Every structure is written in structure tokens, then in C-alpha cells.
Amino acid sequence: MVSTQLKPGQKARVLSICGGRGIEKRMLEMGIVPGTEITLIGKHPFRGPVVFQVGNARIAVGRKMAESLEVEPEEAND
Amino acid sequence: MNVVLLGLPNVGKSAVLNRLTGSNYIISNYPGTSIEILNTEFKIGNQNITLFDTPGIYSLFSDRDEAQMIRKFLQDNHIDLIIQVVDAVDLERNLVLSYELKDLGHPFLVLLNQIDRVRMMGQAIDTKRLSRILEVPVLPFSANSGEGVTELLDVLGNQKFFCRVEEGGEKIRRVYLDRSFVCSGDCSHCLSDHGVCPVASDELIRTQKARETAMAVSQQVHPARKHWLDKAERWVDQPVLGTFLLLGIAYLGFVILLQFINWSEGPLTAALEPVGQAIESWLLAVLPGSYVGRVLARAIPEGLVIPFTIIMPAMLMVSFLMAILEDTGLLPRYSVALERFGRLFGISGQAIIPLSLGFGCRTPAVLATRIMPNEAQRFITVTLLSIVIPCAATVGIMAMVVSAFGASLLVLVTTMLVTMLVLGSILSRLMPMEHEFIYELPPLRVPIGSNVWDKIKIRFSGFFTEVLPLLLIMSIIIRALMESGFFALFQGMESFTRTLFGIPSEAFIAVLITVFQRYLAPLVLLNIPLTPREATIAISMIALSLPCLPVMVMTIRELGVRRLVQILGMGFATSFTVGVLLNILLPV
Ligand SMILES: Nc1nc2c(ncn2[C@@H]2O[C@H](COP(=O)(O)OP(=O)(O)OP(=O)(O)O)[C@@H](O)[C@H]2O)c(=O)[nH]1
Ligand SMILES: [Mg+2]
């Protein structure tokens, strides 16, 4: 599913980034690559940015960019 | 010996440099504080070391300007050692750069900065193991507490980093800054032909290695200590609630600023009065009866009052508030919260940082527009800075005009906001540019007193070196012109300025003075009788006008003459349009 469909607090693993080489590269620089575990912190209303927790860092990603992030939610077992 | 500090943004490179050399480089809690490569000399024993501070980069091979600048710097200079400053709390992401440096084959060592925070979080990093894996020295460090300084100085002083283990021909692969490869062909992850190693997979491999290494060397030793900042962060980072919190804080800052100016004006004026009188009577005694004496005796005390009673408190308070926003980590959160809103008007959320820095002084703010993602956005931001944003000195003197004539603060502030949005929309229509927003949010921190104080000092120093002398000179010139009847020459323009802008000709001259320096212009207003309506229009025209000279110089340096000319043209157009519109809209 697309990362913006995650609920706040939900964890997921990145499957792929499909927004072209430029976007892929900027995500990679921020430490978001296939396999990275991310947690959605919040989605700003009116298609505003989405904030993810990546490791111990918080990264705000523009909505369009976040939509290019395909993720697989982790089983909520807590 | 040339030593370079490299690292991701906001890991504490400048803080490390300040700690080692006692310098006063600006440290702030947001990515993108340092924008230039700066160097400081210092000595360990009799070893001279030149230490370079650099802007933060995520990857050496990034297309971003900072990375290009650093690549060029590393190629053009002889560098003895690279110190990678690492945010130890965020090891995995930082280690990607370590692996890049390793592939580069340049001597480097890893400084695990912010180790104090790692402990706070109940974690431990096995530095020995990390050092073995990376084959470079790894030192725990804290720029805040000074932990690790002795060890680092020891390593630097005795050049211990040169004893890098390179077992017989093991080193088989090197990446160069221009991204070419040298490869003996038998390295595990480079099975394809030389030079055709796809860079992308190369990057992924480094990310993979960084993840494995981070996992291997860090562990949770006891539960994280609960800190109220974590809770605060949860609140502030909630989209809706957080946005309201941030807006509330901004409003509070604005109120504090105005209250502070109001509150300090009385005592300061009272303290200055005897000084002014002493100067006045002294001047009249020394230069009795002359034109010069008359002018100076009035102009100098007047020229002291405004800078000391209004501008000084304004600059102090603005510097303080800015330092708090910067050091807590709230500033970049405004970028995120206002991204959507700014987008409507073609202004990127990232513009918030340079625009708010402009309230301190616009010259360094123009430099800070380098964090904008592209040239178009950069030009829009510099234009808004130049035309709309008032620096601390201007804020002070505008507040003075508003209270002196009972001008409308509401009209002034609204006009400025509307102008900013309209200008932004027009500019972004003219140069539309798809851009993607991605920005790292720093952790919230409690500002360090000494750091806040240093920044206030840096930003306030301009008061004595620039603002005070300029205002004194300007005050003398205005007085001289008034006494000589110079302003009367412009009576002919009266009907023109009255019909167009609804202001007297002298007030229009004040508007023109913004060509030199915006905060000098309102000074003229204070010397002429104005109705509240006239004052409101005149001060709005001044508030939305031209960049000052230092900003112009910086704009030429950063964007070129052509851009500056465009900005100046827009500045005049904006100022006049605002005058005409307010004259039409405001009730007489
Ligand atoms: N707790 C803690 N905070 C630190 C330490 N070192 C730096 N900081 C904080 O980290 C933030 C960033 O510090 P800077 O020195 O501006 O970071 P930088 O790497 O120069 O950042 P850029 O110039 O933006 O790339 C500041 O708020 C510092 O107070 C440390 O050892 N411990
Ligand atoms: Mg810095």
C-alpha cells in the first residue's frame, strides 16, 4: 500500500520507491530505501506533508513524494 | 595540517569546531545552519592545525549544491584528515557517509558526537567493534559536555590516524569524487566489469552495510530515561494541534516583542535625557550661534534617542526570540506546518527559515536561502526577503512611527502579509517549478544559555558598528536639510504625492530614502507632522520597498546583477502600488 494510507503510529517496511531517479535519490540520502522501517507520525491536512520516523530521525516528506513510497505495514502485535 | 569536519546536517560539526578551537561559529538546531566552508587555525603542542567547518551533507555524491561544493573543496585542497562528525543517536543513517568515506580511501576518523544523548536513551555503542569494522579510529564525543576532547586532541597531536591497517593488497576498491572507480575486480560486491558498477546498487550496498553495522554495535542497555521533551515533541509534531501550538508561539513572540519595546522605552528615555541635554548644552557652548552648532545640538541627542530607546530593545528581543526558535528545533517545524499554506501562494515551506532569519538581519538571511531546493524558489525567497521582511532595526523604528502618529498597526501588518502572498503568487506563476519537499526535523532541545547569548552578541554587534553610527549621521543630515529649507524645494511635488498616495511630499522623500537603508527612512517621518492616515500609508510604503545596500551586495554575490535589478524594479513597483491602493482603500 501507499505510505500515506498508513495510520498515525503505524509501522511499515518500505517496499519500493517509484517516483523516478531524482526522488529515489533524495529519499535514499535521507535514509529511506527499500527495506527501511518507517513509522508514520502524522499527516498534515489538505494534502500537506507527511512526517515519518526513520530510525531515530523525523523526516517530513511532501505529499506527492510520500505517495511514491510503496510500503508493507507490519503486523500490529502490541 | 589540514583537517576537515564532515557530516550529515545538524550532527554538531560547528559545535565540535567551537569546542576544539574556542571559536564562535553559529550553532543552531536545524539542518542547514552552516552554508559555507570556513576555517580556523589552532595549535596542539607545536602542531599547527587548520580546521575546516563544512555545510552538512547526506552523501558525498549528492547533486545538491553543498555536496558539489565539498567535492570540489576536497579535490582542490590537500587534506590530511577528515573527521566525520556523527550523530551517535542516529548511527545507521550516519554510517552511510562513513562507508562513502571508506570507499574514498581518504584517511578519516569517526567522532561519535552527542554521545550524551545516546546514554540518555539508555543505549550503548561498542566503539571498539565499530572501529574494527570501519578500520578507522572511532571516538565517543560530546560537544556539549566536552567529553572526548582530550582523546581527540591526542589522536590529532600524535597523528595516530595514519596507522590505518591495510593488510597486504586487501584494499581493492576505491571510489573517486568524480565517481570513477578503481577496482581490482575481486571485491565481493563488484562482480561486474570495472567502471560499470552501477552507482545505484553501490549506494544500496552502503546503506545495507550501514544498517548491519549499526545493529551490530549498538544495544539497549537500560530503558530510556523519560524526558518531558519527548512528550513535547509528540504534541508539536501532531499535524493539527502542533500547527496551532506553533502559531500560538509565534503570536506570543510578537506580543513579547512589542511589550518589551513598550516597557523598556520609558526607563531608557529617562536615562538618556540627561545625556542628551548635556550633549546639547555642550555643543551650544562650543559652537555658539552657528548653523552647524544649531543643527548638531538638536540632531545628536535626537539621533541617540531612537537607536537606544527603540532599536536596541527591538534588536535584542528579536535576536533572543530567533535564538530560541533556532535552538529548540521549532523553526523547521514551521516549514512543515506552513508548507501547504505557502504552496498555495507559490512559496515553499522551506522559505520559512531564511524569511524568519531576515527578521534578525536580512544580509545573512540571503545567504541562508541556499537551503532552498532550486534556483526559482531561491529567487522568490530573496525577493520576498528584500521587499517584505523588516529586519530588527526596521521593526523597532516602525513600531516607533506607529506609536508616534497613532498609525494603524493592523493595516500595516495586513498589508505586509497580503503583499507577501500576492508577490509570491505572481512570481511562482512566472517561474513555476515542480519541487518536492523533504526535510529532516531536528529533535527538540532545551536551548543552551551560552549559545543563545553568543548568538545575541553576534547579531547585536551590528547595533554599534552600523545602526547607531548610520542613524546618527542620518539624523544630522535630516536636521541640516530641514534647517536649510531643502525640503521646501519639494513643495512642487505636493499635489502629485497627495493625489497619488495621500501623503505630503516630505513623507514621499522618506520613502525614497529606503534606497539607502530602510530603517533610516522612518526617521524623516518622525520629523514632520502627519495624520494617522498619512503615517499609515507612508510607513507601509517604507515597509514594502527595497533591499538595503548590504543585502544588495549579497544578492549580487549570490544571484547576480540581473536578479538584483529585477528585485529593485519589483521593490519600487510594490511600494508605489501599496501607496496608491491604501490611498484608495483607507477611509479619509
Ligand atoms: N546534546 C548534545 N547536543 C549537541 C551536541 N553537539 C551539538 N549539539 C546540538 O546539535 C545542534 C546542531 O549543532 P551544529 O553544530 O549547528 O550542527 P552542524 O553539524 O554544524 O549543523 P549544520 O551546519 O546545519 O550542518 C545544536 O542544537 C547543538 O546544540 C552534543 O554533543 N550533545
Ligand atoms: Mg554547522
Side-chain angles (χ1 to χ4, degrees):
Chain A
M1 80 200 238
V2 176
S3 73
T4 49
Q5 292 171 320
L6 291 171
K7 287 185 210 50
Q10 200 178 2
K11 273 196 185 131
R13 200 160 282 281
V14 176
L15 289 178
S16 66
I17 303 163
C18 35
R21 180 78 188 119
I23 286 184
E24 218 173 286
K25 192 158 160 55
R26 295 198 63 187
M27 293 266 199
L28 174 113
E29 284 176 12
M30 291 285 185
I32 304 176
V33 291
T36 311
E37 184 179 273
I38 59 174
T39 311
L40 189 131
I41 301 286
K43 292 181 264 193
H44 283 258
F46 309 113
R47 289 183 55 78
V50 183
V51 181
F52 296 109
Q53 177 96 25
V54 182
N56 274 323
R58 284 200 171 178
I59 294 167
V61 184
R63 188 60 69 108
K64 252 184 86 186
M65 212 162 168
E67 279 166 354
S68 65
L69 212 55
E70 193 69 33
V71 299
E72 179 186 48
E74 277 176 17
E75 296 308 315
N77 43 8
D78 53 337
Chain B
M1 186 163 88
N2 287 335
V3 179
V4 184
L5 296 169
L6 278 189
L8 267 58
N10 208 40
V11 294
K13 297 174 293 301
S14 307
V16 168
L17 183 134
N18 284 357
R19 173 58 80 170
L20 290 178
T21 66
S23 312
N24 259 334
Y25 287 153
I26 293 204
I27 300 175
S28 292
N29 187 18
Y30 66 83
T33 309
S34 309
I35 18 224
E36 287 180 302
I37 299 177
L38 299 169
N39 68 307
T40 310
E41 312 266 334
F42 78 116
K43 251 184 140 122
I44 305 174
N46 46 16
Q47 166 100 268
N48 278 317
I49 295 184
T50 310
L51 191 59
F52 293 85
D53 186 22
T54 59
I57 47 167
Y58 288 100
S59 158
L60 271 173
F61 305 110
S62 164
D63 305 327
R64 297 197 185 202
D65 292 348
E66 307 89 53
Q68 284 174 16
M69 177 161 90
I70 288 173
R71 280 207 293 276
K72 186 161 175 358
F73 172 78
L74 292 178
Q75 277 167 333
D76 293 352
N77 293 277
H78 174 80
I79 305 299
D80 297 286
L81 173 71
I82 295 173
I83 297 181
Q84 190 203 350
V85 183
V86 160
D87 178 353
V89 173
D90 196 16
L91 204 54
E92 182 178 326
R93 292 186 336 132
N94 280 260
L95 284 178
V96 179
L97 184 61
S98 314
Y99 277 109
E100 285 186 1
L101 288 171
K102 196 162 147 58
D103 282 349
L104 200 64
H106 209 81
F108 78 106
L109 68 80
V110 168
L111 207 57
L112 288 180
N113 192 37
Q114 311 204 23
I115 200 78
D116 50 322
R117 285 181 61 227
V118 175
R119 291 209 193 97
M120 277 282 296
M121 300 176 87
Q123 292 168 356
I125 296 173
D126 186 344
T127 45
K128 291 224 181 63
R129 179 139 186 225
L130 182 56
S131 174
R132 269 202 309 278
I133 298 176
L134 290 174
E135 302 171 301
V136 297
V138 175
L139 301 171
F141 197 90
S142 166
N144 276 18
S145 70
E147 174 182 346
V149 171
T150 336
E151 290 80 357
L152 177 60
L153 291 182
D154 179 49
V155 170
L156 290 180
N158 301 314
Q159 308 213 342
K160 288 191 181 158
F161 49 87
F162 287 124
C163 50
R164 242 167 67 101
V165 261
E166 259 182 47
E167 290 149 27
E170 259 288 4
K171 181 127 195 64
I172 29 181
R173 190 165 157 287
R174 262 189 165 205
V175 181
Y176 287 94
L177 284 166
D178 60 8
R179 298 179 141 225
S180 59
F181 293 86
V182 176
C183 186
S184 61
D186 48 352
C187 59
S188 53
H189 48 248
C190 181
L191 299 171
S192 47
D193 284 341
H194 304 172
V196 265
C197 302
V199 180
S201 76
D202 215 56
E203 283 163 343
L204 288 179
I205 288 162
R206 281 195 287 259
T207 319
Q208 184 64 34
K209 281 201 280 191
R211 183 179 305 157
E212 285 163 7
T213 310
M215 290 240 269
V217 299
S218 41
Q219 72 186 113
Q220 193 78 29
V221 282
H222 50 79
R225 241 174 285 169
K226 283 270 172 274
H227 201 286
W228 61 270
L229 275 177
D230 301 331
K231 200 174 254 170
E233 202 165 285
R234 267 203 297 283
W235 285 74
V236 176
D237 284 344
Q238 273 183 34
V240 179
L241 179 72
T243 304
F244 279 107
L245 273 175
L246 289 172
L247 291 177
I249 292 172
Y251 179 73
L252 191 71
F254 191 63
V255 171
I256 291 178
L257 173 66
L258 291 183
Q259 282 299 323
F260 182 70
I261 297 176
N262 250 339
W263 166 85
S264 60
E265 192 185 348
L268 285 171
T269 316
L272 263 182
E273 205 146 344
V275 181
Q277 272 166 6
I279 295 177
E280 187 173 346
S281 45
W282 179 76
L283 279 170
L284 285 176
V286 181
L287 304 160
S290 65
Y291 170 72
V292 178
R294 239 185 14 252
V295 169
L296 290 184
R298 282 199 64 181
I300 293 183
E302 271 177 12
L304 288 177
V305 169
I306 293 172
F308 277 109
T309 57
I310 303 288
I311 294 182
M312 186 175 73
M315 281 179 79
L316 278 176
M317 198 31 107
V318 169
S319 316
F320 172 73
L321 294 173
M322 285 304 308
I324 296 293
L325 280 187
E326 290 169 9
D327 287 10
T328 46
L330 286 175
L331 190 54
R333 289 180 159 81
Y334 282 93
S335 307
V336 178
L338 299 177
E339 201 263 354
R340 193 58 230 143
F341 179 69
R343 208 103 258 269
L344 285 178
F345 301 95
I347 307 163
S348 159
Q350 253 140 311
I352 297 284
I353 290 175
L355 289 179
S356 40
L357 290 179
F359 283 96
C361 174
R362 296 185 292 171
T363 317
V366 171
L367 206 59
T369 57
R370 285 195 195 170
I371 68 169
M372 301 306 295
N374 58 50
E375 278 304 304
Q377 278 294 330
R378 212 173 158 206
F379 174 61
I380 295 176
T381 314
V382 173
T383 307
L384 295 178
L385 255 177
S386 302
I387 296 177
V388 184
I389 300 295
C391 67
T394 313
V395 168
I397 199 153
M398 288 194 327
M400 172 129 201
V401 170
V402 168
S403 72
F405 297 101
S408 167
L409 184 62
L410 184 69
V411 172
L412 176 62
V413 173
T414 315
T415 312
M416 290 171 77
L417 281 178
V418 171
T419 307
M420 175 146 127
L421 301 182
V422 171
L423 258 182
S425 313
I426 295 176
L427 284 172
S428 62
R429 285 296 123 72
L430 291 181
M431 36 169 57
M433 191 95 158
E434 196 51 50
H435 119 261
E436 292 300 339
F437 179 87
I438 183 162
Y439 194 68
E440 182 178 351
L441 293 176
L444 288 185
R445 295 183 216 257
V446 181
I448 304 170
S450 63
N451 193 28
V452 172
W453 178 237
D454 280 343
K455 282 204 267 203
I456 294 180
K457 274 196 300 201
I458 294 172
R459 291 189 177 140
F460 185 68
S461 62
F463 177 76
F464 288 107
T465 55
E466 189 206 310
V467 178
L468 184 61
L470 267 183
L471 277 170
L472 257 181
I473 294 169
M474 190 64 194
S475 158
I476 295 172
I477 293 175
I478 294 173
R479 193 42 63 192
L481 290 180
M482 287 181 54
E483 296 275 330
S484 67
F486 174 79
F487 282 165
L489 294 177
F490 291 88
Q491 289 291 312
M493 278 167 55
E494 186 82 10
S495 61
F496 162 71
T497 61
R498 282 242 178 247
T499 14
L500 218 50
F501 310 121
I503 57 174
S505 56
E506 295 101 322
F508 185 66
I509 296 173
V511 174
L512 295 182
I513 286 177
T514 51
V515 174
F516 299 111
Q517 178 54 280
R518 188 175 297 178
Y519 59 73
L520 294 180
L523 210 57
V524 179
L525 296 185
L526 292 170
N527 283 294
I528 48 183
L530 292 174
T531 65
R533 181 180 192 271
E534 289 166 354
T536 307
I537 297 179
I539 198 69
S540 302
M541 287 178 76
I542 290 173
L544 297 160
S545 50
L546 302 178
C548 63
L549 273 178
V551 170
M552 293 190 202
V553 174
M554 188 60 91
T555 307
I556 293 179
R557 208 186 105 182
E558 293 292 306
L559 300 177
V561 180
R562 207 170 65 93
R563 288 300 197 199
L564 176 67
V565 172
Q566 292 170 341
I567 292 176
L568 292 179
M570 284 188 278
F572 273 116
T574 309
S575 186
F576 291 179
T577 315
V578 162
V580 171
L581 286 180
L582 283 181
N583 189 28
I584 295 171
L585 293 175
L586 288 184
V588 185

